[in-house]
Amino acid sequence: MDELQNPYRPGAGTQPPALLGRDAYINHFGTLLRRALNGMPGKSVMPIGLRGVGKTVLLNRFTEIAENEGLAVAFIEAPETGDLRSLLTRSLRKILLTFDARKPSAKALKALRVLKSFQMQLPDGSSVSLDLDALAGTADSGVLSDDLTDLLVAAGEAAVERDTGILIAIDEVQYLTAEELGAAISAIHRTTQLNLPVVLVGAGLPQLPGLAGDSKSYAERLFEFPAIGSLNDSDARAALVVPAEAQGVTFTDDAIAALIAETAGYPYFVQEWGYHLWNHSQGPRIDLGDVDGVRTIVTDHLDRNFFLVRLDRLTPKEKEYLAAMAELGPGPHRSGDIAAALGVRVESVAPRRSGLITKGMIYSPAHGDTAFTVPLFGEFMMRTKGRA
Ligand SMILES: Nc1ncnc2c1ncn2[C@@H]1O[C@H](COP(=O)(O)OP(=O)(O)OP(=O)(O)O)[C@@H](O)[C@H]1O
Ligand SMILES: [Mg+2]
């Protein structure tokens, strides 16, 4: 069928043609936001889940809702290197300048001066242009958690004066350094106590609650970590059927059953399968023969676009560790069993394991357990053994 009309969207953060199975989170977020605007900020939401389950898409949906409610939005993707101070400086500068541009405002001006102090602590000093004097003694201690607290309190007060709020959305939160994550938690703790309309949402890999708890013991009272996973059978079916039906294309029941089994309901796999099926089928009815016909093409795309790209960033030793996990079968696996499979002592592979956690390849679902953060990664390793 015509690729130009293909509704499916395999990608990173690309809005799916139908966003299935997330209504409860979206409604909950809407309520939370409106309560914050009414001076009753509550817990911050941080959806967590494996690669490709739709965390970024959900975060994008949250920012849309916030924009529709008139909030100012800062969307930040945490880089692996950690650079929160400069990323926040840039996005808050934009927001505060907009507050001030609409009508000169004492609070926005003050917040901009606090921002100036905040950015002076950056290694490259005043690289962001702000044509005003820093507010000495505020946000300039060099201690990130104190400075960020000063900044978000000032920004929150400016938002109140403008009768609005601020949403800070951070994707890939697990890449923040411990200091940055701790600072974000402390700052939001303070703005929440002051009933300021500053809302933090984030998304990250499943190790996030552990990281947050290590940073601040009260994190679990401040954050909710809903687990975002694969779609259940009826949502996976709808994710495939709804976009096609809009163009008069249908699926046979056995084709759908095969697709649910192939994708295990993982959103990224659903989009990739839908995309190639569409391109290679004659239509208007997609059947089991079509599914069988594109299997090699889809597997090849998944290997190259979803799995292999992640392996490229690893050292040979790290790859060996993942291969040993894959050999052990579907996880999670005890760290001791993985070390045994490698023929070494647990302590000697601990640095490799923590390196892989930092790179976001594996996580620890329970103490001493290790699992892949990429769905079906073990199967991929086994399939491409000797080739990868
Ligand atoms: N609820 C959903 N229903 C159908 N498709 C979805 C859904 N959520 C996401 N997708 C699709 O899945 C793919 C992956 O989404 P997204 O990039 O948001 O995942 P992610 O969890 O952020 O992945 P990563 O951890 O690699 O960043 C995209 O192609 C997107 O269109
Ligand atoms: Mg993402």
Side-chain angles (χ1 to χ4, degrees):
M1 290 182 280
D2 184 0
E3 188 171 352
L4 273 183
Q5 308 297 325
N6 193 329
Y8 300 101
R9 308 274 313 269
T14 39
Q15 195 179 349
L19 180 62
L20 269 306
R22 309 298 186 225
D23 288 355
Y25 305 114
I26 292 169
N27 292 336
H28 174 62
F29 176 75
T31 308
L32 197 139
L33 204 64
R34 284 186 284 277
R35 284 181 58 86
L37 283 176
N38 287 338
M40 292 180 288
K43 285 190 176 183
S44 302
V45 208
M46 299 237 173
I48 51 165
L50 301 180
R51 291 292 179 198
V53 290
K55 301 179 296 297
T56 302
V57 160
L58 188 59
L59 209 54
N60 282 332
R61 184 78 193 90
F62 288 169
T63 61
E64 257 174 49
I65 295 170
E67 275 162 1
N68 290 340
E69 293 282 338
L71 276 88
V73 174
F75 188 100
I76 290 168
E77 184 181 326
E80 275 188 67
T81 44
D83 193 16
L84 188 65
R85 196 185 276 263
S86 81
L87 288 168
L88 271 174
T89 299
R90 286 206 292 275
S91 26
L92 282 173
R93 172 180 177 271
K94 213 183 224 168
I95 289 174
L96 295 173
L97 285 174
T98 318
F99 282 175
D100 194 50
R102 269 186 248 157
K103 193 164 78 162
S105 124
K107 297 273 192 218
L109 201 62
K110 179 183 167 202
L112 280 163
R113 291 184 61 200
V114 175
L115 181 66
K116 176 96 178 183
S117 304
F118 185 79
Q119 66 137 20
M120 301 279 264
Q121 299 302 315
L122 282 169
D124 55 355
S126 49
S127 61
V128 177
S129 110
L130 274 174
D131 196 11
L132 32 74
D133 294 328
L135 193 65
T138 315
D140 58 2
S141 71
V143 177
L144 187 61
S145 68
D146 293 352
D147 295 355
L148 188 57
T149 302
D150 286 346
L151 178 61
L152 292 194
V153 167
E157 286 169 349
V160 172
E161 198 185 53
R162 276 277 162 272
D163 217 8
T164 180
I166 296 174
L167 176 76
I168 299 175
I170 306 182
D171 202 3
E172 306 280 1
V173 179
Q174 78 282 345
Y175 287 145
L176 294 180
T177 63
E179 187 198 13
E180 290 172 339
L181 182 58
I185 297 171
S186 307
I188 287 297
H189 192 201
R190 187 68 193 138
T191 55
T192 305
Q193 286 169 358
L194 295 173
N195 297 328
L196 292 170
V198 181
V199 178
L200 176 71
V201 280
L205 292 173
Q207 61 261 41
L208 183 55
L211 295 174
D214 290 346
S215 280
K216 294 281 172 225
S217 56
Y218 53 80
E220 66 188 52
R221 275 174 285 144
L222 214 55
F223 291 103
E224 283 170 28
F225 297 103
I228 305 296
S230 54
L231 302 174
N232 64 29
D233 288 3
S234 87
D235 287 333
R237 164 187 282 268
L240 287 159
V241 167
V242 170
E245 266 177 356
Q247 300 191 51
V249 173
T250 56
F251 287 80
T252 60
D253 285 344
D254 53 359
I256 287 291
L259 287 167
I260 290 174
E262 289 283 355
T263 61
Y266 282 108
Y268 181 77
F269 299 127
V270 166
Q271 298 300 328
E272 195 79 81
W273 271 94
Y275 189 78
H276 295 288
L277 268 174
W278 181 280
N279 288 349
H280 290 89
S281 306
Q282 296 306 315
R285 206 161 84 118
I286 295 173
D287 62 20
L288 192 56
D290 294 319
V291 175
D292 291 335
V294 296
R295 184 170 285 106
T296 322
I297 297 169
V298 174
T299 309
D300 184 54
H301 268 83
L302 285 174
D303 285 359
R304 280 189 287 125
N305 301 337
F306 193 63
F307 295 119
L308 264 178
V309 284
R310 311 196 186 257
L311 271 186
D312 288 348
R313 306 157 49 240
L314 309 179
T315 66
K317 285 280 181 206
E318 288 172 337
K319 287 182 196 173
E320 248 176 46
Y321 190 93
L322 300 185
M325 280 176 67
E327 292 279 354
L328 289 171
H333 301 294
R334 303 296 300 165
S335 305
D337 294 343
I338 302 167
L342 286 165
V344 294
R345 292 205 338 270
V346 158
E347 309 81 65
S348 71
V349 278
R352 249 196 270 181
R353 180 173 182 269
S354 54
L356 284 164
I357 292 178
T358 310
K359 285 185 181 173
M361 286 304 298
I362 56 175
Y363 73 107
S364 180
H367 185 69
D369 274 349
T370 305
F372 291 115
T373 57
V374 183
L376 310 183
F377 198 77
E379 286 84 338
F380 158 76
M381 293 288 286
M382 293 309 286
R383 187 168 64 240
T384 57
K385 218 166 133 177
R387 278 198 282 141

